[in-house]
Amino acid sequence: MALYATAASVLAGVESRRGSIKGLVYASSFQNVKQLYALVCETQRYAAVLDAVIASAGLLRAEKKLRPHLAKVLVYELLLGKGFRGGGGRWKPLLDRHQARLKAELARLKVQRRVSRNEDLLQVGSRPGTASQVPRFVRVNTLKTSLDDAVDYFKRQGFSYQGRASSLEDARALRGRCFLLDPLLPELLVFPAQTDLHDHPLYRAGHLILQDKASCLPAALLAPPPGAHVIDACAAPGNKTSHLAALLKNQGKIFAFDLDAGRLASMATLLARAGVSCCELAEEDFLAVSPSDQRYRQVQYILLDPSCSGSGMPARQLEEPGAGTPSKARLQALAGFQRRALRHALTFPSLQRLVYSTCSLCQEENEDVVHDALQQNPGTFRLAPVLPSWPHRGLGTFPGAAHCLRASPETTLTGGFFVAVLERVEVPSSVPRAGAAAPEPTPSAAPRRKERRRPAVAPGAQRGKR
């Protein structure tokens, strides 16, 4: 029906900050304005709940032609609305195939959040404290220690190791002094939300990096092999840079750029504490870096995490009022820089693989920037299909956008994030190869839960070291 397609279009416009619901509804020329307005408003109110149900049910993976916003409208109508109006047209048979699974996931969500009514579920899912339920993610810095030794040290401190998580619900259910190994990213430990490890000796010694899971995705998906040359285009504050160095095993070279001298100085301290020795820092605008410079002739991997609105970061929204709803002018300015930076990065002659990421939820900074870059390089670069099991995909604004990844507290138990992996369609024969890039993270063997006989030495806890 035209109602659902129009509602999806209005919802997409609202979420990408193109206008208000009322303005977009009236601009749509849909005959029954009140009906359309009510459907969009209610769908948006339940957006977090719908995202969680759709992700858990795997609807978008099963129905690859179904766009995310349309799926949200249809699932609202099926589970929370008045049922399909006018028979539902061609959409009803599609949703009927998944009705049982969708209803079961909604019921499971109610049990998990200990509510019985849909309205109560809305209050739990939409209150400001949703982001506070994101677990504490801790990346083990393999330049200084090993996963086994870090796990052993925590167990010696009285923490209970629960092994590798099997689902998001394992992480959501963490309480007290329990911790898990992330099911996807190797060397990533998961602690209950609000766990404070800033004074932990392993953190102070650089053996642990406090880094959100979504923020770990860019380096993990770039996956440069040891010996590779990598550019970190907008590098500060440096967590992703230290992750790249760990993947390289300090073999090869990272060229890290940032214009802010203060941030670069702090980054140098962070990298030194993390034991990074393969990184060359430069107080320089990445846009001014020449791709033809002989220093970068072997650069095959680029990580581009440019300045963005930060609309996916709850902490930044608290620190910067209005960061969650950036103005149109600010979005245009940021997107303009992001487009220029991505286009520039793709001109490096030996480039094989690039990761573009932001901590923004706005389409203008994410899908629109990537689509522009692909149009500027037809047939040269493509979006790589990564992490097919990841539940939250890119907005369906252009063909292939579902290869992009999105993240949010509701759907992935992480901060808000966007990641796209671009790879060269055909590698030039003259390009020297440092090694084949891993297409996606491969979890390492999880340490066994039972205590070892050999006592673990506290990494970095020797007398006189911090």
Side-chain angles (χ1 to χ4, degrees):
M1 285 182 66
L3 169 64
Y4 301 126
T6 307
S9 177
V10 171
L11 192 63
V14 171
E15 291 188 3
S16 60
R17 313 298 196 272
R18 292 176 180 170
S20 66
I21 294 179
K22 186 171 291 186
L24 291 170
V25 164
Y26 279 103
S28 70
S29 302
F30 188 78
Q31 188 173 4
N32 193 333
V33 173
K34 288 185 178 181
Q35 184 186 42
L36 177 61
Y37 183 76
L39 179 58
V40 174
C41 285
E42 287 302 298
T43 301
Q44 189 184 44
R45 269 213 315 151
Y46 281 92
V49 174
L50 294 168
D51 281 339
V53 170
I54 289 170
S56 299
L59 179 61
L60 296 179
R61 294 198 301 273
E63 302 290 346
K64 298 188 184 303
K65 293 183 179 180
L66 185 61
R67 298 294 177 87
H69 290 104
L70 180 57
K72 204 176 297 188
V73 171
L74 294 173
V75 173
Y76 168 79
E77 198 74 316
L78 174 69
L79 300 181
L80 308 168
K82 299 180 179 179
F84 290 110
R85 305 168 203 204
R90 65 192 182 96
W91 302 118
K92 189 175 185 301
L94 185 149
L95 266 294
D96 282 345
R97 292 199 294 270
H98 304 278
Q99 183 175 160
R101 178 66 173 163
L102 289 165
K103 288 184 175 179
E105 290 301 332
L106 178 62
R108 191 159 68 94
L109 199 60
K110 288 180 180 178
V111 171
Q112 290 164 1
R113 299 187 183 179
R114 299 178 182 180
V115 298
S116 57
R117 301 182 307 161
N118 291 336
E119 190 73 14
D120 294 335
L121 186 62
L122 172 66
Q123 291 170 2
V124 172
S126 62
R127 66 190 180 200
T130 299
S132 68
Q133 302 307 307
V134 172
R136 164 64 73 188
F137 292 101
V138 178
R139 178 168 60 81
V140 176
N141 178 15
T142 53
L143 292 177
K144 283 201 159 185
T145 188
S146 68
L147 176 65
D148 285 342
D149 282 348
V151 168
D152 280 347
Y153 188 61
F154 277 111
K155 290 194 295 185
R156 286 161 59 93
Q157 286 192 312
F159 285 84
S160 174
Y161 177 56
Q162 305 294 303
R164 188 187 300 280
S166 60
S167 68
L168 287 180
E169 298 315 314
D170 289 346
R172 199 191 305 273
L174 277 175
R175 297 291 185 273
R177 293 174 67 82
C178 295
F179 71 109
L180 294 159
L181 180 63
D182 185 78
L184 175 64
L185 296 178
E187 287 84 49
L188 189 66
L189 300 177
V190 190
F191 290 80
Q194 311 304 318
T195 301
D196 188 359
L197 296 172
H198 287 88
D199 290 329
H200 195 280
L202 297 191
Y203 169 71
R204 295 199 307 267
H207 295 262
L208 302 178
I209 309 293
L210 306 185
Q211 186 175 2
D212 184 70
K213 177 177 178 176
S215 177
C216 293
L217 288 174
L221 292 176
L222 187 63
H229 284 205
V230 183
I231 281 179
D232 191 347
C234 305
N239 280 343
K240 297 181 184 68
T241 316
S242 70
H243 194 180
L244 288 171
L247 293 169
L248 291 173
K249 300 179 180 178
N250 263 341
Q251 302 168 24
K253 176 72 74 172
I254 300 173
F255 301 96
F257 303 97
D258 204 277
L259 262 179
D260 189 311
R263 282 162 56 89
L264 212 58
S266 297
M267 178 177 169
T269 301
L270 181 150
L271 294 182
R273 186 176 66 189
V276 174
S277 61
C278 64
C279 186
E280 181 180 301
L281 297 180
E283 186 183 333
E284 190 173 355
D285 182 356
F286 173 64
L287 289 174
V289 176
S290 172
S292 61
D293 191 315
Q294 285 300 297
R295 286 177 295 176
Y296 313 124
R297 70 184 186 278
Q298 295 183 58
V299 169
Q300 298 172 316
Y301 302 88
I302 294 180
L303 194 157
L304 176 60
D305 188 74
S307 299
C308 70
S309 65
S311 56
M313 296 178 63
R316 185 180 295 184
Q317 293 169 30
L318 291 174
E319 296 167 5
E320 303 175 22
T325 54
S327 67
K328 186 174 182 180
R330 183 165 183 251
L331 273 180
Q332 288 177 340
L334 287 166
F337 166 71
Q338 292 153 357
R339 288 171 190 253
R340 292 193 300 275
L342 183 51
R343 290 175 188 172
H344 181 62
L346 294 177
T347 63
F348 281 74
S350 298
L351 179 66
Q352 293 181 36
R353 190 173 180 91
L354 177 147
V355 167
Y356 174 81
S357 63
T358 75
C359 51
S360 169
L361 304 177
C362 302
Q363 178 186 321
E364 291 91 339
E365 300 179 86
N366 298 329
E367 288 87 358
D368 289 355
V369 171
V370 171
H371 189 207
D372 171 78
L374 292 172
Q375 288 183 317
Q376 295 293 321
N377 295 273
T380 307
F381 289 91
R382 67 172 185 175
L383 275 173
V386 293
L387 302 186
S389 62
W390 190 261
H392 199 168
R393 315 303 297 189
L395 303 178
T397 58
F398 63 92
H403 290 325
C404 302
L405 308 181
R406 278 178 169 262
S408 70
E410 295 82 9
T411 58
T412 56
L413 271 187
T414 67
F417 222 80
F418 174 86
V419 185
V421 182
L422 284 76
E423 62 182 9
R424 190 179 291 276
V425 174
E426 192 170 328
V427 179
S429 58
S430 61
V431 173
R433 297 184 62 86
E440 56 190 58
T442 302
S444 57
R448 291 177 296 178
R449 291 178 55 180
K450 66 180 183 179
E451 293 286 350
R452 298 176 169 214
R453 293 181 180 178
R454 175 179 57 85
V457 177
Q462 297 97 328
R463 198 168 295 174
K465 292 192 177 183
R466 289 178 62 85

